[in-house]
């Protein structure tokens, strides 16, 4: 059974693990086929379903290969953030990771599709669409960068928190809403009518307290776990974006495997998706009740009205137009 390493790992131990993975990468293929020990990384805390799904995938790979492929997994900030993890894969010091899908736009701009507002109708549509497009998207990305996506780690939609009841775009007009520092996010909230305010996430809580910003948007689990409802007492269930994490592997590592091993990776990814999609949905329902218990006002929004404000967004981001049309065609 694979040995999981936590964020308390010493730098000396990390150097040893990195050197070990480099040795594995340099070993002749005939020897690697006997036993492989990979380094994997997720930026999520071990209590988060993203980390749990990543571990599930890795452990299933070990089980399905009868111990031929094992792994050491680093969670939290032990190996840096998601960007560091992708760079590690490209440099060969990490074999697989679980970054947020939108982060991949730094290497392949079509990954902006994963934060295109209201491209997914609901969580069920998002799950079906991710299953339908993920392999084709991965093949397209391989034309630009040697990264392969194996599967989608499910996450729920992003919601808006503030101290204003938000039901329609008119309610958000002029509100300073924190967004990540990416063009599509900023443009989407401009079209909603808000005053998007890009900030690094660690600054969000203090900025809410000091009213530098009026609100923010994140998956409910992120808002709850980071105590943001101490500053914002209203939650609008906008589900304006769905952005899964993804299991990514270096294509050189993938290519070094035989057909049976590759099939095992894909099978483990499918099993992970099937296992965690219902769990994540159930967890969202539980979180809503916990948020209400903190005397937070929770309300639905007019999603059609919000979606109508961004119907032409793809004209400003034409590199995602093909994917927008394809996702919209999925029942």
């Amino acid at each position: 059974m694979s040995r999981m390493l936590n964020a308390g790992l010493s730098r000396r131990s990390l150097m040893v693990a990195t050197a070990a993975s480099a040795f594995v990468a340099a070993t002749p293929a005939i020897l690697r086929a006997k036993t492989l020990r990979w380094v994997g990384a997720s930026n999520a805390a071990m209590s988060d379903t993203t980390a749990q799904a990543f571990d599930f995938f890795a452990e299933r790979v070990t089980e399905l290969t009868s111990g031929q492929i094992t792994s050491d997994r680093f969670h939290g900030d032990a190996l840096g953030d998601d960007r560091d993890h992708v760079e590690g894969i490209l440099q060969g010091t990490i074999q697989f990771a679980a970054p947020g899908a939108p982060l991949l736009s730094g290497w392949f701009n079509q990954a902006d599709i994963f934060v295109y507002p209201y491209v997914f109708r609901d969580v069920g549509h998002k799950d079906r669409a991710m299953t339908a497009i993920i392999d084709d998207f991965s093949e397209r990305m391989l034309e630009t960068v040697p990264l392969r996506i194996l599967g989608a780690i499910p996450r729920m939609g992003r919601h808006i928190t503030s101290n204003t009841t938000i039901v329609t775009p008119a309610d958000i007009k002029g509100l300073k809403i924190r967004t990540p520092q990416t063009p599509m996010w900023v443009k989407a909230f401009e079209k909603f009518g808000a005053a998007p305010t890009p900030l690094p996430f660690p600054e969000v809580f203090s900025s809410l307290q000091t009213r530098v910003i009026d609100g923010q948007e994140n998956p409910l689990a992120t808002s709850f776990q980071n105590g943001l409802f101490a500053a914002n007492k209203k939650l609008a269930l906008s589900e304006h974006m769905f952005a899964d994490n993804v299991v990514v592997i270096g294509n050189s590592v993938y290519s070094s495997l035989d057909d049976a091993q590759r099939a095992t990776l894909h099978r483990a990814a499918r099993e992970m998706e099937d296992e965690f999609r219902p769990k994540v949905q159930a967890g969202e329902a539980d979180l809503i009740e916990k948020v209400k218990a903190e005397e937070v006002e929770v309300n639905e929004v007019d999603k059609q009205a919000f979606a109508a404000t961004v119907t032409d967004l793809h004209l400003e981001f034409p590199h995602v137009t093909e994917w927008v049309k394809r996702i919209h065609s999925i029942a």
Side-chain angles (χ1 to χ4, degrees):
M1 191 169 185
S2 60
R3 176 169 52 91
M4 290 189 295
L5 306 178
N6 59 34
L9 186 74
S10 70
R11 291 295 172 189
R12 181 177 178 82
S13 296
L14 176 55
M15 290 173 65
V16 171
T18 300
S21 78
F23 173 78
V24 168
T27 304
I30 192 168
L31 295 179
R32 290 205 308 271
K34 295 179 181 178
T35 303
L36 295 171
R37 192 170 191 87
W38 291 347
V39 173
S42 88
N43 198 36
M46 291 179 67
S47 59
D48 191 278
T49 54
T50 297
Q52 294 167 11
F54 188 60
D55 285 338
F56 178 95
F57 165 78
E59 289 163 6
R60 283 300 289 145
V61 169
T62 297
E63 292 166 1
L64 292 170
T65 61
S66 300
Q68 193 176 74
I69 301 176
T70 61
S71 59
D72 297 323
R73 274 101 63 204
F74 297 77
H75 295 297
D77 61 356
L79 296 187
D81 60 19
D82 281 348
R83 188 171 299 277
D84 295 321
H85 300 164
V86 175
E87 290 289 356
I89 290 175
L90 294 173
Q91 294 164 8
T93 56
I94 295 173
Q95 282 67 55
F96 67 124
L103 180 91
L104 297 176
S105 64
W107 294 269
F108 182 58
N109 67 357
Q110 292 179 35
D112 280 338
I113 188 60
F114 298 119
V115 288
Y116 194 94
Y118 292 106
V119 71
F120 301 114
R121 293 189 294 274
D122 51 38
V123 65
H125 180 240
K126 181 265 297 181
D127 289 342
R128 294 190 299 277
M130 291 299 284
T131 297
I133 72 169
I134 202 70
D135 289 341
D136 289 345
F137 186 89
S138 183
E139 291 298 326
R140 183 76 61 82
M141 185 169 69
L142 280 166
E143 297 172 6
T144 301
V145 63
L147 296 170
R148 182 178 290 275
I149 299 173
L150 295 173
I153 297 177
R155 300 190 74 186
M156 294 296 289
R158 300 177 77 94
H159 304 302
I160 302 168
T161 74
S162 68
N163 289 311
T164 299
T165 300
I166 298 171
V167 178
T168 71
D171 300 320
I172 203 174
K173 187 174 179 59
L175 288 184
K176 293 176 287 186
I177 304 296
R178 178 267 176 182
T179 67
Q181 298 166 298
T182 61
M184 184 173 288
W185 244 299
V186 172
K187 181 57 68 173
F189 272 81
E190 285 178 355
K191 286 183 171 292
F192 289 163
T197 307
L199 287 173
F201 183 73
E203 298 178 20
V204 171
F205 184 73
S206 62
S207 297
L208 288 172
Q209 286 186 312
T210 57
R211 300 195 177 183
V212 170
I213 54 176
D214 300 308
Q216 60 87 46
E217 55 82 52
N218 257 303
L220 182 54
T222 301
S223 298
F224 183 78
Q225 291 166 5
N226 286 276
L228 301 186
F229 291 109
N232 278 170
K233 288 299 183 182
K234 295 184 186 291
L235 170 65
L237 299 176
S238 52
E239 289 189 324
H240 51 278
M241 296 173 185
F242 286 93
D244 282 355
N245 284 55
V246 285
V247 177
V248 177
I249 189 171
N251 197 49
S252 61
V253 174
Y254 182 87
S255 298
S256 72
L257 304 176
D258 61 37
D259 290 345
Q261 291 169 327
R262 294 175 193 172
T264 291
L265 297 185
H266 291 285
R267 175 180 170 184
R270 298 293 84 73
E271 290 182 4
M272 177 270 294
E273 291 168 348
D274 292 343
E275 178 77 12
F276 279 85
R277 283 171 174 170
K279 285 185 177 181
V280 168
Q281 289 192 51
E284 178 93 339
D286 290 343
L287 274 176
I288 288 175
E289 295 307 312
K290 290 179 180 178
V291 168
K292 288 179 179 178
E294 293 191 2
E295 299 183 349
V296 174
E297 177 187 300
V298 179
N299 66 271
E300 301 286 342
V301 308
D302 185 344
K303 294 178 184 177
Q304 289 186 338
F306 274 95
T309 69
V310 293
T311 53
D312 62 348
L313 186 61
H314 65 93
L315 299 178
E316 299 182 52
F317 299 88
H319 54 279
V320 302
T321 299
E322 173 190 350
W323 298 107
V324 170
K325 292 179 178 178
R326 182 166 174 185
I327 290 170
H328 281 167
S329 73
I330 295 171

